[in-house]
Amino acid sequence: MTMEARVSLASTNPDISSFAKLSVPKVNIYFAVSACQDEGIINAVCEEERELTEKQAKARLEWEAIERTERPTNEDWKDVAFCDEFHLGIDPQVIKRVKRKIRPEHGLKPENVHRKKVTSKDTKVKAREDEHLRLLNVFVVIGYDYRKILTYDAGNVVGKMSTKCYTEQIHPHLLDDFRSKGLTLYRDADSAHLPKAMETWVKKNGLKVLPLRSVSPDFLIFESMANPLKRAFYARRRAEGQMTKY
């Protein structure tokens, strides 16, 4: 059966359309792949996002409707400061590159293997638990014509913040600025914000906060800024390390 006949048959009989696609000669598949490459299309792994429950999706929509009503324009957000924490590994985690032959067996030769305490196959959480990766923990606040960077000690190896960490190391350093500038702290739904002690501290000290709904990292501007900031940090750190070395 010719290619034209298969396409014609598939178009008139949907039940065999998959058969027609599977029966395409290899030469046509090759040209299809080449065409995709020419168009800048690759076979990539999908980015993953947590699927929301109906309750979570409804809460997000309700939050968005309320905030859009209270702050309908960009000007209305000038008194809001966004915040998030960053965890920067400060132990050597360089990537070693080597010139070698293409075939896989050459990559496994001893002289072509980079042995590290923490490899790319390890998760960062596991690496932190093993204390192989020391962290620099920073809390960043950015608003209109305002920025502040605070380092903090989380009291654990994974950098997880607690209510005590917020109320003793972070929020006290923001109070004067926020009061004088009339700022509101836009914060995520971290579990450390939920205890009664946090609510009591915020009310007692007059810190205005705008809590974000859970499972909504896309509502926080830092989610799109994390990778560029970390790349800039590591690039500068490597450059300074080279200057010190020589």
Side-chain angles (χ1 to χ4, degrees):
M1 182 182 293
T2 66
M3 171 63 71
E4 292 76 14
R6 272 198 296 270
V7 173
S8 176
L9 184 60
S11 63
T12 57
N13 190 342
D15 294 335
I16 65 170
S17 60
S18 58
F19 167 77
K21 293 176 182 177
L22 291 175
S23 302
V24 175
K26 291 183 178 179
V27 64
N28 288 295
I29 294 176
Y30 170 78
F31 285 124
V33 171
S34 298
C36 287
Q37 291 176 342
D38 291 340
E39 293 295 327
I41 300 173
I42 63 171
N43 183 22
V45 176
C46 290
E47 295 291 336
E48 295 183 355
E49 291 184 358
R50 183 180 298 178
E51 186 173 356
L52 301 178
T53 65
E54 185 176 348
K55 182 178 180 181
Q56 289 170 335
K58 182 179 179 181
R60 280 165 53 93
L61 290 173
E62 291 175 347
W63 182 92
E64 187 270 344
I66 293 172
E67 295 308 320
R68 186 181 292 273
T69 300
E70 295 185 357
R71 295 180 171 85
T73 69
N74 292 341
E75 291 292 321
D76 299 314
W77 287 86
K78 285 187 174 181
D79 65 342
V80 176
F82 299 81
C83 67
D84 204 359
E85 66 270 16
F86 291 86
H87 314 291
L88 305 167
I90 55 177
D91 277 337
Q93 292 291 307
V94 297
I95 297 175
K96 182 179 180 181
R97 297 185 180 277
V98 63
K99 298 289 187 182
R100 65 170 179 82
K101 294 183 178 180
I102 295 176
R103 298 182 64 84
E105 57 266 25
H106 295 293
L108 298 177
K109 289 185 176 181
E111 63 270 23
N112 294 331
V113 175
H114 186 192
R115 291 172 178 79
K116 303 167 67 177
K117 289 183 178 180
V118 181
T119 71
S120 59
K121 293 181 181 180
D122 300 316
T123 64
K124 289 185 177 180
V125 172
K126 183 63 169 64
R128 294 167 186 170
E129 289 175 350
D130 290 343
E131 298 186 22
H132 290 154
L133 183 61
R134 292 186 301 129
L135 297 177
L136 171 63
N137 300 310
V138 295
F139 189 82
V140 182
V141 185
I142 294 180
Y144 180 77
D145 198 25
Y146 179 80
R147 67 178 180 180
K148 199 174 192 70
I149 301 176
L150 302 168
T151 59
Y152 66 92
D153 180 8
N156 55 66
V157 296
V158 297
K160 173 62 177 173
M161 298 184 75
S162 63
T163 300
K164 183 178 180 180
C165 183
Y166 275 112
T167 57
E168 294 184 1
Q169 299 185 53
I170 303 299
H171 289 166
H173 296 285
L174 301 177
L175 279 179
D176 288 343
D177 288 348
F178 275 57
R179 287 170 177 168
S180 63
K181 296 178 180 292
L183 295 175
T184 296
L185 185 65
Y186 183 106
R187 68 186 189 190
D188 60 19
D190 191 286
S191 58
H193 299 312
L194 302 179
K196 188 70 174 179
M198 173 65 82
E199 182 181 353
T200 301
W201 193 96
V202 167
K203 289 182 177 179
K204 179 181 178 180
N205 292 277
L207 178 64
K208 294 190 293 184
V209 297
L210 175 58
L212 184 61
R213 289 292 183 267
S214 62
V215 201
S216 300
D218 52 322
F219 286 177
L220 192 63
I221 62 173
F222 280 110
E223 293 302 318
S224 60
M225 297 171 62
N227 284 335
L229 287 173
K230 288 184 177 181
R231 285 199 300 269
F233 171 82
Y234 291 125
R236 180 172 179 177
R237 180 169 172 267
R238 285 195 295 270
E240 290 179 348
Q242 290 295 326
M243 292 174 62
T244 303
K245 180 178 178 181
Y246 294 106

